[in-house]
Amino acid sequence: MSKIIRCLITILKVGLAFFICLCILSIFIIGYAYPSIHTENNSGSTDWKLADNQLRTNMVEGFSWIKVDSNGFNNEVNENNVDNLIMGSSHMEGYNVNYDENVTYLLNQKDVGYTYNIGISGHTIYCCAKNLEDALEEYRPKRYVIIETDTVNLHITDMKSVMKGTYINPGSSIDRGLKRKLKIYLPAVPMLYNQIKIWKESNLSADTDDGSSMIGYKNTLNKFIERIANICQENNVKCLIFYHPKTEINGLGEIIRYDEDYARLFKECCMSNGIEFIDMTEIFDELYSDKHILAHGFTNTAVGTGHLNKYGHKAIAEAIADFIINDRMVREE
Amino acid sequence: MNLNNINFILSFGLFYILIWIIQIFYITRTNAVWNRIQLTLILVMSYFYIVMVDVKFCLCLVLVSLLTFFCGCLIEKTRNKWILIFGISVLIAVLAYFKYFNFFISSITHILRMNRVTLNIMLPVGISFYIFSALSYIIDLYKGKISCEKNILNFLLYLSFFPKFTAGPIVRSDYFFTQTRNYKGIDYKGLTIGIQIFVFGLFKKVVLADHLGVFVSDVFRAPSAYNTSTVILAAISYSLQIYFDFSGYSDMAIGISRILGFDLKPNFNLPYIAYSMPDFWKRWHISLSSWFQDYLYIPLGGSRKGEIRTYLNLLAVQLVSGLWHGAGWTFVVWGMLHGIINCVNKVIGKRIDKLAKAIDIVITFIIVTLLWVVFRADSFENALQVWRGMFTIHTGINQPYVWSYFAIVCLVGATIAAVIHSKKEGCVDAKGNPVVNGFYPLLDLSKFGSLVLFFTFCGLTIVLGYFGNTAFIYGAF
């Protein structure tokens, strides 16, 4: 009997120690990498949004602390009168840079009107195109809707499903029930779970790219862009898509680009449908050749990979601002 | 088979629990029988892990094990020199075929400007380590230092023991067989100590070495793209990466062995506080350095046959050591450079001794770091690019990689702790001089506070870890 009691006490001791360890780790994680809580967005402008007014910390990729606005997006100020609306992925969610270093903040420092950002992780150009109508209806931007994309080599099947209205975001991640509660009260648990998941997956071989066929690609892309253009026209707003490619460097220190042909094709489709297209390739190349600065990557990650850093955000903000200001001057003349 | 692979950790955990369950079941049996069963289970598990990598590797290991075992029996019976020569020749031939055949053939064809011919040979995992273990066994037997192991299962376990199989340490047969003969089985104390050493090694590997590897790979791929300070930081980072990677592996191997009731000797002893190159080799990959000393340097005459011969012996040992690390000319040159510096160190040794010890440590670290560049580089051209990048002031990408600074802080912190610990413990060398020795900061896990601390350290290792697809650097040798 005493053996069983001793055994039970040991189990209880280990369990309690483990729980205290989770509490200590959770406190550490609040400062190190507090995970964002994804909630439903009933308006449909995005598939999900962040919990309002939460604090987000990130020291895993870059170093930043941001505060989410009352709508669940990364904006410093939240005004009703939106001139420009930014849609995009985690690059625009901008949790890798401080609040005063992201595209939206920098644009709001320039004479381009009030810019509001609803960029959120997992929202690729397909997702933005799918949600565009709802987003324009909710925020009613007066001048521009600005869509971010880090790829111009799109998948035919995904474009088609957006046009059919059947597209489902593969990275769907709304936190509900226990998962949500753990993220709020014991963030160490989801963090450990994710890390162990990555650890397990790292033992598997990487999937090979299926290499989508070029047959019909241009037609599908054109229809896809046309759909975006039509929605914008119906809502009486101009559309601007900007593309920011990853920068890979070869052994000689030169930049390698893979999607130049796709970028050209994408630009053609945008122009033929009256959509403005900003290709950041040249600007990023100049940034590298003149100042040896890369637009992606941080001092705690691989060079040039991952999310946009403060230099990337700044270059994009300047390019967009220049474009909007020039466009306004041309129209005024 | 990587010891930081989660599938390995899970399967090992299950295996360990299984042994505990059987232990409870077998409680009425005699200890000797149960201990024998445990050793057999560890042997089965060892072969299971090797088969999981590739069944052909298992076949190679079995053949080498059987050959060495029977050679050993014959050597003890007959004391015939030719059997020893046969055994050594076959073992070296096996290693040469798998590891160096393509290297030599491609080098010869390159020199003769012939068409390049290579065979599709897969390098069996751990071959460099178990061949060296087998060699030491038959040589020691012939010299009469040890007696022949009669139990073939013990012998199979000696070469295949899974914690040390992939990347050492190279355990001497007498040390290992003493433990198999006196095996006491798994116990709670071994578990609490072993698991701490394992997690300590895991931290070194996944938090420090693997993060550093990301940066080092970037810079070594295109050194000309980075500015001077970044290339220097990358070279230093590689010194730290290879240390944390390999010593991390050794710690994991020691930890798992301890959990299984075996005691492996430490393979590293704070190598970056070495004040000279010979001192560095006494602290780095100790099991390999001592192997070369006992089975190559001393048989060649060591320092007993005059100055010139001593230098030639030093050069020869380092050259073979370089070749052991990899079948490539960069490894050969790396070994040769180490040999030359060892010789220079011997010539001007007295002058160096006059310098303050701290300066000696810094100079040794700089030399070791410069030589690691050759070791890491894909080619001589690549190594020269990195050296050029370090010694010419030029612009380029500036990447003050945070994990490098974190690793430096960890290394310095661990060294300071070791200095304090060694002073407190009164550590001295064979001559009675005070020395600094590394140690494991082990906790008493029966205490609640220690348990919390240990769990938190485990959690931090997972939270901060880099879990890309990374193998152990020394696993490739």
Side-chain angles (χ1 to χ4, degrees), chain B residues 153-213:
Chain B
L153 292 181
N154 279 356
F155 190 81
L156 288 172
L157 183 63
Y158 168 54
L159 292 190
S160 67
F161 187 53
F162 68 89
K164 69 169 182 69
F165 182 75
T166 311
I170 302 166
V171 183
R172 298 294 173 86
S173 53
D174 54 338
Y175 186 74
F176 191 82
F177 293 132
T178 309
Q179 295 193 52
T180 52
R181 282 173 207 136
N182 304 317
Y183 188 64
K184 297 275 190 298
I186 59 166
D187 58 13
Y188 178 72
K189 197 184 169 198
L191 171 70
T192 56
I193 292 173
I195 203 165
Q196 289 184 71
I197 298 173
F198 178 82
V199 176
F200 193 59
L202 189 68
F203 180 86
K204 282 182 178 177
K205 168 68 181 160
V206 300
V207 178
L208 301 174
D210 288 350
H211 274 295
L212 291 172

Side-chain angles (χ1 to χ4, degrees), chain B residues 147-421:
Chain B
S147 56
C148 177
E149 176 57 46
K150 301 283 186 297
N151 188 322
I152 192 163
L153 292 181
N154 279 356
F155 190 81
L156 288 172
L157 183 63
Y158 168 54
L159 292 190
S160 67
F161 187 53
F162 68 89
K164 69 169 182 69
F165 182 75
T166 311
I170 302 166
V171 183
R172 298 294 173 86
S173 53
D174 54 338
Y175 186 74
F176 191 82
F177 293 132
T178 309
Q179 295 193 52
T180 52
R181 282 173 207 136
N182 304 317
Y183 188 64
K184 297 275 190 298
I186 59 166
D187 58 13
Y188 178 72
K189 197 184 169 198
L191 171 70
T192 56
I193 292 173
I195 203 165
Q196 289 184 71
I197 298 173
F198 178 82
V199 176
F200 193 59
L202 189 68
F203 180 86
K204 282 182 178 177
K205 168 68 181 160
V206 300
V207 178
L208 301 174
D210 288 350
H211 274 295
L212 291 172
V214 172
F215 172 55
V216 170
S217 298
D218 280 339
V219 178
F220 273 73
R221 195 168 46 234
S224 55
Y226 296 86
N227 68 9
T228 311
S229 60
T230 303
V231 181
I232 292 171
L233 185 65
I236 294 170
S237 298
Y238 184 65
S239 295
L240 301 185
Q241 185 202 349
I242 195 165
Y243 168 63
F244 285 126
D245 189 285
F246 192 21
S247 71
Y249 181 90
S250 294
D251 290 340
M252 281 191 248
I254 292 166
I256 291 174
S257 303
R258 200 64 194 264
I259 292 171
L260 292 170
F262 282 85
D263 191 17
L264 301 187
K265 287 179 186 169
N267 210 14
F268 289 84
N269 187 16
L270 304 167
Y272 293 140
I273 61 159
Y275 56 85
S276 67
M277 290 309 275
D279 188 33
F280 172 78
W281 282 108
K282 278 180 198 160
R283 292 169 176 275
W284 180 274
H285 201 174
I286 298 164
S287 63
L288 181 74
S289 305
S290 61
W291 194 98
F292 277 123
Q293 169 140 341
D294 293 348
Y295 300 103
L296 195 62
Y297 183 67
I298 291 171
L300 283 172
S303 58
R304 289 163 287 138
K305 296 195 172 176
E307 264 188 33
I308 305 280
R309 187 64 188 272
T310 305
Y311 298 141
L312 286 174
N313 290 344
L314 279 172
L315 270 177
V317 168
Q318 291 294 346
L319 201 75
V320 176
S321 167
L323 204 58
W324 179 90
H325 280 89
W329 286 108
T330 50
F331 292 107
V332 175
V333 169
W334 172 78
M336 212 160 76
L337 289 171
H338 264 284
I340 291 166
I341 290 165
N342 264 343
C343 294
V344 172
N345 206 112
K346 231 176 170 59
V347 173
I348 60 163
K350 278 178 187 169
R351 262 185 286 167
I352 283 178
D353 286 347
K354 282 179 188 169
L355 293 168
K357 214 167 185 179
I359 299 171
D360 289 352
I361 290 170
V362 173
I363 292 170
T364 308
F365 179 74
I366 292 169
I367 294 169
V368 169
T369 298
L370 289 173
L371 296 186
W372 280 135
V373 170
V374 188
F375 189 89
R376 170 62 178 78
D378 301 329
S379 60
F380 292 121
E381 204 190 343
N382 187 217
L384 287 173
Q385 276 182 328
V386 176
W387 277 346
R388 211 178 296 134
M390 291 171 77
F391 292 110
T392 55
I393 293 172
H394 60 96
T395 54
I397 301 168
N398 183 38
Q399 174 76 339
Y401 193 59
V402 172
W403 286 105
S404 297
Y405 297 112
F406 179 65
I408 291 169
V409 168
C410 287
L411 187 71
V412 172
T415 308
I416 292 168
V419 170
I420 296 166
H421 183 261

Side-chain angles (χ1 to χ4, degrees), chain B residues 13-59:
Chain B
L14 281 175
F15 168 70
Y16 191 75
I17 292 166
L18 181 80
I19 295 187
W20 269 113
I21 291 168
I22 299 172
Q23 186 144 314
I24 295 162
F25 181 71
Y26 267 80
I27 207 121
T28 51
R29 304 289 169 94
T30 58
N31 274 339
V33 175
W34 170 229
N35 291 344
R36 192 64 257 158
I37 292 168
Q38 283 186 68
L39 282 176
T40 312
L41 283 172
I42 295 168
L43 176 66
V44 171
M45 199 63 183
S46 297
Y47 272 89
F48 167 75
Y49 284 130
I50 299 161
V51 169
M52 291 306 284
V53 180
D54 198 319
V55 73
K56 280 177 269 178
F57 297 166
C58 183
L59 202 69

Side-chain angles (χ1 to χ4, degrees), chain B residues 123-157:
Chain B
L123 181 67
V125 176
I127 190 165
S128 304
F129 293 93
Y130 66 75
I131 291 280
F132 268 41
S133 296
L135 282 170
S136 71
Y137 173 71
I138 54 170
I139 293 169
D140 284 351
L141 258 180
Y142 181 75
K143 285 181 177 172
K145 282 184 184 173
I146 56 167
S147 56
C148 177
E149 176 57 46
K150 301 283 186 297
N151 188 322
I152 192 163
L153 292 181
N154 279 356
F155 190 81
L156 288 172
L157 183 63

Side-chain angles (χ1 to χ4, degrees), chain A residues 258-277:
Chain A
Y258 296 105
D259 287 336
E260 283 173 334
D261 291 340
Y262 286 101
R264 218 171 290 128
L265 195 64
F266 198 94
K267 190 178 181 179
E268 274 174 32
C269 291
C270 284
M271 283 170 73
S272 64
N273 287 293
I275 288 179
E276 306 296 349
F277 178 68

